[in-house]
Amino acid sequence: MTERKGDWWQIAVPEKWEGKTIEEIFRSEWEAPKKLTHTFRMEKKVRYEGTEANWNVPLTAGKRLELLLFQEEEILVPPYYRDIEILYEDDHVLVMNKPPFINTHPNDKDDVETLLNAAQFHMQANGEMRNVRQVHRLDRDTTGAIVFAKHALAGAILDRILVKREIKRTYIALVHGLLKQKKGTINKPVGRDRHHPTRRRVSPSGQEAITHYQVLKEDYTQHVTYVKCWLDTGRTHQIRIHFSHLGHPLVGDVLYGGKPIADRQALHAIKLEFTHPFTGEKVVCFAPFTDEPVIFKDIDVYQI
């Protein structure tokens, strides 16, 4: 059982932590960074049974452990008001449905009209005076589910499970042409294109990039295909590059050879799944389509 008590987060020590020390919980269970762990220890941000915790004493299942997670911080992210759709939220995590034509995070100090800034406004509007933390990103014109952390420890744990590929992100893309294979894996390294400032390309010297896909539906009239994709890696523009390389660029993706029959590249992060860093519960978020006019026609988001 876990609950918030003011600035403190309270947890009944679970059976699996029996006999482990707080030091071991931070190091092995959460794999928290050493610097952050040191801060919790030095600033006395952990209590056990209501008193300052001894980090080296074995814990007993059912006893009360408390962490100072929700105290106010100096706000470093300028808030920016924008109406945003919340897919999931609790004291630790915020999942939003990213609209198109907005950056995930600032690219320079003057770039404050981003999703990160909008998330910061949302937190402050709800009285949470802490810096929101970006966990992953979506391209400016890509839409769908994206996760942010609401405090430093949640951010560190989510960063770690992202690296370990334990945050599963499922996309839907609309590509030109009809694919020969109805399902498959594209394993082609991706690197920078030396001849273009923002474009990437398949390159033998690039970073490993693996995209799995499955055809959902074919539109023979428009000569396009709806494809479900999921990634083992998260390279910039990965899905866009891989399908362009196959000869099936995304609809609307003029940077990689798509035709401008949509006002953006037809890519949507439709589903996001992860194990909650503190409760251990499975979190599954589905992101409804928001495009007007509609890009992804007759696709049931909740059946992906």
Side-chain angles (χ1 to χ4, degrees), residues 33-170:
K34 288 181 180 177
K35 185 177 178 181
L36 183 62
T37 301
H38 182 73
T39 299
F40 270 85
R41 194 167 192 161
M42 291 299 102
E43 296 183 7
K44 299 178 173 49
K45 292 184 174 183
V46 184
R47 296 193 303 218
Y48 185 52
E49 285 292 288
T51 60
E52 182 186 332
N54 182 329
W55 281 57
N56 299 307
V57 170
L59 300 174
T60 301
K63 297 284 189 179
R64 189 171 80 253
L65 188 66
E66 296 169 287
L67 281 80
L68 185 60
L69 298 179
F70 309 115
Q71 76 273 35
E72 291 189 2
E73 298 176 334
E74 178 190 355
I75 302 300
L76 304 175
V77 180
Y80 159 62
Y81 174 72
R82 178 178 180 128
D83 193 25
I84 51 175
E85 182 181 6
I86 306 298
L87 303 178
Y88 175 87
E89 182 176 16
D90 62 18
D91 290 324
H92 313 281
V93 178
L94 175 65
V95 182
M96 296 190 289
N97 191 7
K98 180 185 175 296
F101 318 122
I102 181 172
N103 289 331
T104 296
H105 56 82
N107 293 315
D108 58 59
K109 63 181 176 59
D110 298 321
D111 185 14
V112 297
E113 296 184 0
T114 77
L115 197 64
L116 181 72
N117 300 93
Q120 186 66 51
F121 183 96
H122 172 77
M123 282 189 57
Q124 289 183 227
N126 289 323
E128 298 189 83
M129 304 303 289
R130 299 186 308 283
N131 291 291
V132 69
R133 290 155 171 87
Q134 170 201 338
V135 176
H136 62 111
R137 65 181 291 276
L138 294 172
D139 293 340
R140 177 181 175 82
D141 294 351
T142 299
T143 54
I146 183 168
V147 62
F148 293 87
K150 296 174 70 173
H151 57 78
L153 184 56
I157 297 171
L158 288 166
D159 285 345
R160 187 254 304 166
I161 65 173
L162 180 73
V163 169
K164 292 173 77 170
R165 302 176 183 176
E166 293 172 1
I167 297 180
K168 185 179 178 185
R169 292 172 284 167
T170 305

Side-chain angles (χ1 to χ4, degrees), residues 195-263:
H195 307 292
H196 195 282
T198 57
R199 193 166 54 207
R200 267 73 170 171
R201 65 186 182 90
V202 166
S203 166
S205 61
Q207 293 177 295
E208 180 187 39
I210 301 171
T211 303
H212 306 283
Y213 70 88
Q214 179 183 341
V215 170
L216 294 176
K217 189 174 69 167
E218 295 167 314
D219 185 331
Y220 296 98
T221 305
Q222 299 295 322
H223 203 61
V224 294
T225 303
Y226 295 84
V227 185
K228 178 172 80 169
C229 315
W230 58 103
L231 312 179
D232 282 355
T233 53
R235 308 303 175 205
T236 299
H237 300 175
Q238 179 174 320
I239 292 171
R240 300 163 63 188
I241 295 162
H242 273 169
F243 280 97
S244 178
H245 183 75
L246 285 188
H248 298 281
L250 272 61
V251 166
D253 191 2
V254 293
L255 184 63
Y256 292 105
K259 296 174 185 174
I261 55 178
D263 62 357

